[in-house]
Amino acid sequence: MNYTVDKKGFYGEFGGAFIPEMLHHNVEELKSCYLDIIESDEFKKEFKQLLKDYVGRPTPLYFAKRLSEKYGANIYLKREDLNHTGAHKVNNTVGQILLAKKMGKTRIIAETGAGQHGVATATVCALMNMPCIVYMGEIDIQRQAPNVARMQMLGAEVKAAISGSKTLKDATNEAIRDWIANPEDTYYLIGSVVGPHPYPDMVARFQSIISEEMQYQLEEQTGKNYPDKVIACVGGGSNAAGAFYHFLDNEKVELIAVEADGLGINTGKTAATTQIGSEGIIHGSKTYLMQNSEGQITEPHSISAGLDYPGIGPLHAHLFKSKRGTFLGATDQEALNAAFELTKLEGIIPALESAHAMAALNKIKLKNDECVVVNLSGRGDKDMETYMRVMNNGK
Amino acid sequence: MENRIQNTFQKKRILNIYLTAGYPKLADTVTIVQELVKNGVDMVEIGMPFSDPLADGPTIQNSSEIAIKNGITLDLIFEQIQEIRKTVEIPIILMGYFNQLLQFGIEQFLEKAAQVGVDSLIIPDLPIDIYQEEYKSLVEKYGLKMSFLITPQTSEERIHLIAKESRAFLYVVSSYAITGGKSEIEDYQTQYFERIKSLNIETPKLIGFGISNKETFETACQYAEGAIIGSAFIKALENSPNLKETIKEFVRNIK
């Protein structure tokens, strides 16, 4: 089985570019040059340099002793939370901003849900002195005031998406419309492994630094350059794509993707796409998505804004359908429990997204000598309000 | 069915009006089409409301949301078209997004559309290569005709390819924009229209996006067989106290 994208932009039967003709030129332009540029020595050098000096890579692979004792396995945490801006998102924005510059683009647009990708985009735009417009659902703007302020402080213009449900999927729609209206100078910087080909492949490549580092870090620490299991959360799926990337063809590595069950998969308040979704098209890509029998895309729910998306990237759809990946879910409550447990045992406050990955430790069978890497995709500063609410209710 | 499209393009200055099925009220689809025909519209494009209409602007998205809330479904749309066909002879174009067809079942959709009297389909997010490889023979099996879009950025080679596969008409997107944009036609647009005209494409052409009034309609007719008006019509319906009067006035102001 092949897990990389084929010439037509498909992972198995998923992916492709189901886009209106108005986007054809933009997407084609990107498709025709992205590999040449990002595979060039010059690009690689600049990218690696920025990841090292600006982002703070490599991120540690930390052996979590107390967590390991509790779960009876060797558990390592890939510390993406220690990246500049607090999550793995910046790996991708650094890569894409360099690409945009090489393509001669002068204006950057992006979509954001909770604001993490928006902040990571605004950050690299400040770094590169490029104008930045971030589309964000009107409701998310209200919910995520600190990130809106961060983006604005970084010089980005935050535009409210007022259509539809006024959340991430609508912000994505608005960004796509902006790109249609500004095809010459504008680069659309997508934040996850979603959207039309070549975005899923390109974003996965930029995030693949996560598993690239894991390989040699594991070798140093365990003498073996791969783990038995890799666990990562999946909304759109960019951190999971990065954490899985170099292990896709190594069948000895179990790839575990954790979706957000929300209040529970049968409650109607969930973001567990593979559990309750079906095959279809969202944002230009054939994949699994949450929809009704009429093909109308339905609203997801998760306590974690980063997982609150009604689709998954086409790579993950392929991993799910081919059974290469193991797909689990964690509810809001399970994620919260896992966040408090990690904080207590290891002194690390995780992002709510990453807490879903941690919650999977309770759901899988572990053997004593097994090596498990959990991708700790982001830190919990942004989620303190939610955590405070839990602590106050606990009193 | 062959004749409805061909016969229509015997004429010049074709006015194709877009409406959202199930908007403003669920059952209005039938009345609106009947009134449009009564007032001399040559073709109608019926939009199948979708939650995430990427190629459309806020006006059409908003009308789609309302129609979905009203309870519109593909089955209802087919029933409405069947009702319309009892009295209406002009071509009916059905416009929607590919995911809607996928969930309905492609073949079932095509069969049903043909059965109720649809002439042509516009599916903006169905790529032409995938159409050719996977769906063309099915579309032809049911006697339906596709209409595909071109934009100011579509290359000449691609225009010819798209025109060849557009068996009803070629949908000439007038600008770098989504539907419901500006109300004036700029110089780069007329240059683009000139360029398209000079290609001497056999497929009839209709210009759409940004056509909103008599002036823009007339400009479009200088370069193409006619034009498509969508958002401006939806806006007119939005606050209409009397659909029949609004439609009569709207069409009279254009043609």
Side-chain angles (χ1 to χ4, degrees), chain B residues 120-133:
Chain B
S120 172
L121 299 174
I122 300 175
I123 314 293
D125 59 343
L126 172 60
I128 194 126
D129 53 333
I130 291 193
Y131 166 72
Q132 287 177 312
E133 282 165 34

Side-chain angles (χ1 to χ4, degrees), chain A residues 8 17-22 24-26 163-164 169 173 177 181 183-184 279-281 291 293-297, chain B residues 49-56 61 65 68 73-74 98-99 102-103 124-125 127 130 133 149 153-154 158 176:
Chain A
K8 289 184 167 174
F18 294 84
I19 49 169
E21 183 64 19
M22 294 86 96
H24 178 82
H25 177 85
N26 299 8
S163 63
K169 92 181 160 65
N173 293 338
R177 287 171 178 154
E184 304 285 352
E279 293 175 28
I281 288 164
Q291 58 185 330
S293 59
E294 288 281 307
Q296 310 290 358
I297 299 171
Chain B
F50 182 51
S51 55
D52 295 76
L54 284 187
D56 290 301
Q61 174 158 15
E65 275 167 33
I68 292 168
T73 61
L74 295 184
F98 192 42
N99 196 50
L102 280 175
Q103 301 318 312
D125 59 343
I130 291 193
E133 282 165 34
L149 280 58
Q153 289 194 309
T154 308
R158 195 169 161 83
Y176 303 137

Side-chain angles (χ1 to χ4, degrees), chain A residues 149-163:
Chain A
R150 276 185 200 110
M151 287 185 268
Q152 286 166 339
M153 186 168 171
L154 287 158
E157 182 188 347
V158 180
K159 281 196 181 173
I162 54 168
S163 63

Side-chain angles (χ1 to χ4, degrees), chain B residues 143-156:
Chain B
L144 292 162
K145 298 167 190 299
M146 296 300 293
S147 297
F148 288 101
L149 280 58
I150 61 166
T151 79
Q153 289 194 309
T154 308
S155 69
E156 191 175 323

Side-chain angles (χ1 to χ4, degrees), chain B residues 145-187:
Chain B
K145 298 167 190 299
M146 296 300 293
S147 297
F148 288 101
L149 280 58
I150 61 166
T151 79
Q153 289 194 309
T154 308
S155 69
E156 191 175 323
E157 188 189 350
R158 195 169 161 83
I159 291 172
H160 285 294
L161 166 75
I162 291 173
K164 193 183 79 173
E165 297 298 355
S166 299
R167 299 292 162 86
F169 59 86
L170 185 61
Y171 194 134
V172 180
V173 175
S174 72
S175 64
Y176 303 137
I178 34 137
T179 59
K182 297 164 194 155
S183 60
E184 281 166 28
I185 290 182
E186 295 174 38
D187 285 347

Side-chain angles (χ1 to χ4, degrees), chain A residues 152-186:
Chain A
Q152 286 166 339
M153 186 168 171
L154 287 158
E157 182 188 347
V158 180
K159 281 196 181 173
I162 54 168
S163 63
S165 54
K166 305 176 175 62
T167 56
L168 176 58
K169 92 181 160 65
D170 309 286
T172 307
N173 293 338
E174 290 302 322
I176 290 173
R177 287 171 178 154
D178 180 310
W179 204 25
I180 288 172
N182 299 285
E184 304 285 352
D185 62 344
T186 297

